[in-house]
Amino acid sequence: MSSNKNMAYEFNFDGLVGPTHNYAGLSLGNVASTSNANLVARPKEAAKQGLQKMKALHDLGLKQGVIAPMERPDVATLRRLGFTGTDAQVIIKAAKQAPKVLAACSSASSMWTANACTMAPSSDTADEKVHFTPANLANKFHRSIEHETTGRILQAMFKDENHFVHHPALPMGDHFGDEGAANHTRFVDVNSEKGYGKKGLHFFVYGKYAFDASKPAPHKFPARQTFEASQAVARLHMLDSDNVVFAQQSPNVIDKGVFHNDVISVGNGNVLFAHQKAFLNQMQVYTDLERAFDGEEFHVVEVGANDVSVEDAVKSYLFNSQLVTLPDGNMAIIAPGECESVPAVKEYLDWLVEQDTPIKEVKIFDVKQSMQNGGGPACLRQRIVLNETEVSAMNQNVIMNDDLFATLNAWVEKHYRDTLTEDDLADPSLLNESRMALDELTKILNLGSVYPFQQV
């Protein structure tokens, strides 16, 4: 019997917020990121907020894991840019000569693991193995330097070549800009006997065509995901074309700050929760999904523009919530606290849970430190579907449980600063603190030497 015949589960692997969490305003098109530039960040609080969300979902009976952060500041990249000397001298020179470059090389943006990669479960791939492709994140320099380490971390988590296939990131450059699972959703009939292990429907959302300038595209903010990149990932993952739907995000909402699809829609199981203005040719997108879905009725829960404006959706990150199936079979929205402070959104969610849809509950979480940098609950997680054999074959140390939660909280308390400003990035001792923390983390999570400083 092949390994994809047994029951499968969806894990949420959340990114652990790194020690250099700061507000440098690096992400054009991300309204929260740019509007909160130069705020005082609280790395210890940010990491603990993320861990609390992981533990809470674990306590709800969901499968939960953790993904390690990047090594930051990224001295190796600074050296590639011409800064020389000892590591401390590299930091000091960069701070003096190019402080914005140092800020970019110090970003803790890898916390948003929805952008870490796109994955496909063994039930969906032609070779019946789990496939991973790290996102090249080519549109933003500070994120484009993540994918090599991301790939090493994923390989340390999912080593067994009998079950897991790791692809390199797509070629760099705008034409194959790939932002990972932030623009990808997998739909599946979770009520089947295989649960998430039934063959699923892969929904790729892109912002523009890279090789056809005649097609619609945003004008104010960049489209970070291309059609061609989405096609390439589907090919690499050996997906059946009958189980793939491509859709273009509305250029108008990109220009209003919807920089990824997961800021304007979210899906789970047989449900798409989307804003009325999310897609080009929206009704055709719904038809394509309904036709391709294999299972019980496909549900579209559409939020009207008269109920929640695009601006309020961006402000609250309503659609950057997680949509999860609870152990009792009901679906819940895991929403950021900001959804309660935007009146139209709060009113809509209060109304929604009383309606006849699969979404029965809303749970609010405080992830303000992440939100102020432009990432909500859905940004913080990468969904990975694994069957029982694959769960047994993976690195067990990255699966959340009570002991790991306590260990990681103590680790954060020991190593993280209470506050951090952009000026603090010039302090070479921050590099040493970060490396000491990550060296200890790789032992806790049994990752081996995944960071450049460990490979010298």
Side-chain angles (χ1 to χ4, degrees), residues 129-281:
K129 293 183 180 182
V130 180
H131 286 243
F132 297 94
T133 299
N136 63 24
L137 301 170
N139 188 259
K140 295 287 178 284
F141 167 72
H142 69 287
R143 303 224 59 184
S144 70
I145 56 177
E146 293 177 11
H147 65 88
E148 289 186 5
T149 300
T150 297
R152 288 195 296 271
I153 291 171
L154 289 170
Q155 289 173 49
M157 294 166 63
F158 306 101
K159 286 182 182 177
D160 192 333
E161 294 180 358
N162 293 315
H163 301 289
F164 307 114
V165 178
H166 295 274
H167 302 279
L170 298 183
M172 274 297 180
D174 183 63
H175 285 76
F176 290 98
D178 175 27
E179 300 281 314
N183 292 316
H184 170 265
T185 299
R186 177 180 182 263
F187 297 104
V188 65
D189 181 3
V190 295
N191 294 318
S192 71
E193 63 180 13
K194 297 179 185 176
Y196 282 94
K198 184 176 180 178
K199 195 166 189 177
L201 170 61
H202 291 254
F203 182 44
F204 290 89
V205 180
Y206 57 92
K208 69 174 182 180
Y209 288 81
F211 288 88
D212 189 348
S214 70
K215 299 285 190 180
H219 300 290
K220 181 180 179 183
F221 292 138
R224 303 186 187 187
Q225 181 87 25
T226 68
F227 171 65
E228 292 83 357
S230 297
Q231 279 190 316
V233 172
R235 283 192 296 268
L236 286 168
H237 291 183
M238 305 170 70
L239 301 176
D240 187 329
S241 60
D242 290 340
N243 297 101
V244 176
V245 169
F246 298 100
Q248 185 168 359
Q249 197 175 342
S250 164
N252 292 332
V253 300
I254 294 176
D255 281 339
K256 290 184 178 182
V258 180
F259 54 99
H260 292 137
N261 177 60
D262 69 1
V263 182
I264 204 68
S265 81
V266 61
N268 171 60
N270 62 339
V271 176
L272 172 65
F273 180 52
H275 192 275
Q276 182 183 1
K277 303 291 186 180
F279 309 108
L280 273 184
N281 306 316

Side-chain angles (χ1 to χ4, degrees), residues 10 106 387 402 423 427 455:
E10 182 180 83
S106 303
N387 65 38
D402 293 350
D423 290 342
D427 179 5
Q455 300 172 339

Side-chain angles (χ1 to χ4, degrees), residues 63 67 107 131-132 155 228 263 292 300 337 371 395 414 416:
K63 306 290 186 182
I67 298 180
S107 173
H131 286 243
F132 297 94
Q155 289 173 49
E228 292 83 357
V263 182
V300 175
M371 284 286 291
N395 179 348
K414 174 183 176 182
Y416 280 49

